């Protein structure tokens, strides 16, 4: 319940893909990955971007969960007194249940999500710019060919 969005705390990245992406590929992947990310299933993101061997996302993929564990450990005065939850329990519900029905677990998840957003943002912007440029470059030859075909007809 500490890392929102599953492995790598990818919910923050999914939110950026849905709300801030200029690349059509990133928007589409965000739409596909969002339902799973709400239930801490990160495989659509891990294999869709892909995050494996990706120099743009290597650092935040490793750094974000480490930061969230440190923040969560320091925030807890006592160990969680709630129930053991399946990993697919949605964010905010899992924090509430894992702390034995205390709202502090949900507040901690809001803080963790904010940290995830802050860490992923600069890396997301760089990747999104790259993907938008690639899409723009691949659209140019197609548009030129369509104009040339229209001129011949």
């Amino acid at each position: 319940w500490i890392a929102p969005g599953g492995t790598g705390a990818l919910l923050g990245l999914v939110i950026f893909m849905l709300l801030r992406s200029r690349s059509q590929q990133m928007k589409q992947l965000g739409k596909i990955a969002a339902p799973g990310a709400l239930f801490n299933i990160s495989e659509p993101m891990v294999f869709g971007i892909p995050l494996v061997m990706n120099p743009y996302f290597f650092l935040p993929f490793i750094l974000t969960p480490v930061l969230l564990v440190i923040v969560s450990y320091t925030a807890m005065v006592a160990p969680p007194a709630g129930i053991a939850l399946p990993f697919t329990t949605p964010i905010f519900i899992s924090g509430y249940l894992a702390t034995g029905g205390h709202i502090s677990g949900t507040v901690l998840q809001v803080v963790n999500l904010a940290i995830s957003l802050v860490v992923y943002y600069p890396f997301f912007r760089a990747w999104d710019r790259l993907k938008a440029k690639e899409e723009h470059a691949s659209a140019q030859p197609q548009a030129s060919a369509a104009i040339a075909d229209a001129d011949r007809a």
Side-chain angles (χ1 to χ4, degrees):
W1 60 278
I2 292 175
T7 304
L10 293 173
L11 186 59
L13 183 57
V14 170
I15 290 170
F16 283 135
M17 288 178 144
L18 289 171
L19 302 178
R20 305 278 302 173
S21 184
R22 290 182 286 174
S23 163
Q24 291 303 316
Q25 177 186 355
M26 298 291 272
K27 283 182 186 178
Q28 189 64 29
L29 182 58
K31 290 175 188 175
I32 292 169
L38 291 175
F39 292 94
N40 298 320
I41 298 169
S42 60
E43 282 78 5
M45 291 291 292
V46 171
F47 299 111
I49 287 182
L51 288 172
V52 178
M53 302 296 286
N54 186 327
Y56 285 87
F57 289 112
F58 174 77
L59 188 62
F61 189 73
I62 301 298
L63 181 67
T64 304
V66 171
L67 283 173
L68 298 184
V69 166
I70 292 169
V71 167
S72 298
Y73 182 79
T74 1
M76 290 190 287
V77 177
I83 56 174
L85 299 169
F87 79 95
T88 55
T89 306
I91 187 172
F92 308 132
I93 296 171
S94 61
Y96 180 77
L97 294 175
T99 55
H102 298 291
I103 196 72
S104 61
T106 302
V107 171
L108 180 59
Q109 285 187 316
V110 170
V111 170
N112 284 348
L113 181 58
I115 291 169
S116 172
L117 288 166
V118 167
V119 172
Y120 272 108
Y121 184 72
F123 300 95
F124 162 76
R125 291 308 304 163
W127 183 254
D128 188 44
R129 278 191 212 113
L130 175 70
K131 287 299 173 185
K133 283 181 186 176
E134 287 176 4
E135 289 173 8
H136 183 69
S138 69
Q140 290 293 54
Q142 294 171 354
S144 300
I147 292 170
D149 289 342
D151 287 342
R152 282 185 229 144

